[in-house]
Amino acid sequence: MTTMTVRRVTANLSLTLDGRYHGPGGPGDMGAIVSYATTEVARRYLTRIWEGATTAVLGRRNAEGFLGFWPTVAADENADPRDRGYAKWLVDAEKVVFSTTLAEAPWERTRVVNAPAADVVADLKTTGSGDILVNSSASVIKALLAADLIDRLYLMVCPEIAGGGPRLFEDGLPASKWLLAHHETGELGETALVYDRAR
């Protein structure tokens, strides 16, 4: 008798105190977040998110940014070992990129999909092994929260108010309960949080 595998879906995102993942100036407006990205707490958080994961799920914009930057870190012997660990994981991991404009993936070990995120991730949950990490792609995370498919949330909360920009937790999400699995606060007031979905 074979038992069906059900993989855990995790997601990570950095947020401001007012719940925004970038400021009012658009996706490049990361001033309230970027200065906390290289703290000791942030680097431990970065290691924590990928340790159990075997698949990275990304939106196209994040895929282009991440896969244009992190492979150079993986090859840089002088980079922080925690940054290199994440970079090597991202390069080597199976990657699923959501896009309506890419016809094929310009990156190794990558599959481009143009389908509802909830359908694709629900299928991924039943095949393979290891966590599925939705990697800082807010549009995908929102779709999976709406479908109640996320099992673990990794959040880095930065102690600034952006005053504008999109929020992760919008009205209309299904009600859910989460259990705090880990938290750590850094010297600048940034807080790394891990929440597990209570089911």
Side-chain angles (χ1 to χ4, degrees), residues 40-138:
E40 288 299 303
V41 165
R43 285 202 160 110
R44 285 193 290 272
Y45 167 87
L46 186 65
T47 299
R48 197 174 297 116
I49 67 171
W50 65 264
E51 283 182 318
T54 56
T55 302
V57 173
L58 300 149
R60 178 195 52 82
R61 182 181 291 129
N62 270 2
E64 289 174 346
F66 284 18
L67 297 170
F69 172 74
W70 285 106
T72 61
V73 176
D76 182 358
E77 293 181 7
N78 296 316
D80 184 287
R82 294 161 295 187
D83 293 350
R84 283 191 81 196
Y86 169 76
K88 287 179 177 181
W89 170 81
L90 184 62
V91 169
D92 293 340
E94 170 195 26
K95 290 170 281 293
V96 176
V97 175
F98 286 93
S99 176
T100 58
T101 56
L102 286 176
E104 59 185 47
W107 314 287
E108 292 182 4
R109 290 175 286 286
T110 304
R111 178 167 53 108
V112 174
V113 292
N114 180 3
D119 294 348
V120 173
V121 171
D123 184 53
L124 282 173
K125 277 179 73 89
T126 63
T127 58
S129 61
D131 288 350
I132 300 160
L133 172 63
V134 185
N135 207 351
S136 296
S137 297

Side-chain angles (χ1 to χ4, degrees), residues 137-189:
S137 297
S139 62
V140 179
I141 295 170
K142 286 181 181 186
L144 298 182
L145 283 170
D148 197 16
L149 281 171
I150 294 181
D151 303 303
R152 169 169 277 192
L153 276 171
Y154 296 100
L155 299 174
M156 176 65 76
V157 178
C158 304
E160 296 191 22
I161 292 174
R167 287 191 170 100
L168 176 62
F169 303 109
E170 297 175 339
D171 288 350
L173 288 174
S176 57
K177 183 175 181 177
W178 298 79
L179 304 172
L180 182 65
H182 178 85
H183 68 94
E184 183 179 8
T185 303
E187 292 180 3
L188 301 177

